[in-house]
Amino acid sequence: MPAGTATVLETRSLVKRFGGLAATDDVSLKVERGARHALIGPNGAGKTTLINLLTGVLEPTSGTIALDGADITHLAPHRRVRRGVVRTFQINQLFNALTPLQSLALAVSVHLGRSARWWRPLGSDPRVVESTERLLTQFRLADVMNQTVGELAYGKRRLLEIATALACEPRVLLLDEPVAGVPEGERQEIFETINALPADVSILLIEHDMDLVFNFARRVTVLVNGAVFAEGDVATISNDPRVKAVYLGEDVHG
């Protein structure tokens, strides 16, 4: 598959077994270049397991993963990041003692291969300065850039985590429940920021908040019991009686 193809990330018959349990069951999925693709399903459907397979945290039992046609099935996680597959987590992975300014300067420095010098005064490296300032503005963090992460409102911490991922200049960004645990009053800022992410970044979003899913996604894949249950555009999925039945009685915000 040539690099210019429409598909940037693809799984083929991906299976992950834990003993006799198939957490991911024969999943074939295509993420198109520039995608706004949501992955939904009831609790225990295998969504996070799939993300862990895509990022190399888990090794598949069988099946393959390709990035721009190149097989990355057994590539180490840090090598996938270098190739542009970057994720966020359900629970943020930030350093509470750092500020957003320091956190992003560190992330940018690591991405640029200058991590050995990240602790020097920020103004000493123009590329780090430029990228860090852009991210602080883009993710609405400029007004809190000198507060420690531990002092930030939870919604701001979520924004910082996404900003940190974007500092790696991903080609594919995997957002794992970006509004999980965020109070209702802080979610709109995250919605707007995610919707404004660069068009050239392909995004696969896992989310239980259907408002975010249906306002963000152009394509939706539904997982049930580790397998692809339905797939289509937002209108098709939102009106599919089988999908509604899957969620009937489920706490979709749980």
Side-chain angles (χ1 to χ4, degrees):
M1 187 185 301
T5 187
T7 301
V8 62
L9 184 65
E10 181 176 6
T11 70
R12 302 181 188 122
S13 303
L14 204 60
V15 175
K16 179 61 181 178
R17 293 188 177 278
F18 296 99
L21 172 67
T24 305
D25 188 5
D26 197 32
V27 172
S28 293
L29 176 73
K30 290 184 178 182
V31 177
E32 303 300 315
R33 198 172 309 281
R36 296 297 184 261
H37 195 141
L39 185 67
I40 68 172
N43 291 330
K47 303 182 296 296
T48 296
T49 297
L50 179 58
I51 294 296
N52 286 336
L53 291 168
L54 293 174
T55 54
V57 174
L58 294 174
E59 280 271 338
T61 304
S62 61
T64 60
I65 305 166
L67 179 67
D68 275 330
D71 192 327
I72 63 168
T73 308
H74 303 292
L75 205 62
H78 70 279
R79 294 190 179 276
R80 298 189 199 202
V81 172
R82 283 294 180 193
R83 292 200 185 187
V85 179
V86 181
R87 74 175 294 179
T88 64
F89 294 82
Q90 287 180 359
I91 300 173
N92 74 67
Q93 308 286 306
L94 302 170
F95 296 104
N96 284 338
L98 296 182
T99 66
L101 176 62
Q102 293 167 331
S103 299
L104 291 175
L106 174 57
V108 170
S109 296
V110 169
H111 178 66
L112 294 176
R114 303 176 186 184
S115 55
R117 302 196 302 266
W118 78 270
W119 47 268
R120 292 183 180 176
L122 185 59
S124 66
D125 192 323
R127 287 187 65 189
V128 173
V129 171
E130 180 184 358
S131 295
T132 300
E133 288 181 345
R134 183 178 67 251
L135 289 164
L136 286 168
T137 300
Q138 180 180 355
F139 287 89
R140 309 181 187 201
L141 295 165
D143 59 334
V144 295
M145 66 180 183
N146 291 315
Q147 293 182 25
T148 63
V149 169
E151 296 174 313
L152 297 179
Y154 197 68
K156 291 291 187 183
R157 277 182 266 173
R158 283 296 191 184
L159 287 170
L160 178 57
E161 187 179 21
I162 301 170
T164 302
L166 209 67
C168 299
E169 298 184 331
R171 291 155 62 202
V172 182
L173 179 59
L174 309 172
L175 295 176
D176 193 352
E177 299 194 34
V179 297
V182 177
E184 193 69 36
E186 298 176 35
R187 291 187 176 200
Q188 187 59 37
E189 190 172 45
I190 297 177
F191 290 175
E192 292 172 359
T193 305
I194 289 174
N195 277 323
L197 287 171
D200 60 341
V201 178
S202 306
I203 300 173
L204 181 62
L205 169 78
I206 293 179
E207 189 49 70
H208 284 299
D209 189 307
M210 292 299 105
D211 288 337
L212 175 53
V213 168
F214 291 136
N215 281 294
F216 170 82
R218 295 193 291 265
R219 189 161 190 83
V220 181
T221 299
V222 185
L223 283 189
V224 176
N225 296 325
V228 175
F229 181 76
E231 188 170 273
D233 59 27
V234 168
T236 299
I237 295 300
S238 62
N239 292 304
D240 188 329
R242 299 178 309 134
V243 174
K244 292 179 180 178
V246 164
Y247 279 103
L248 187 63
E250 295 282 342
D251 177 7
V252 299
H253 294 284

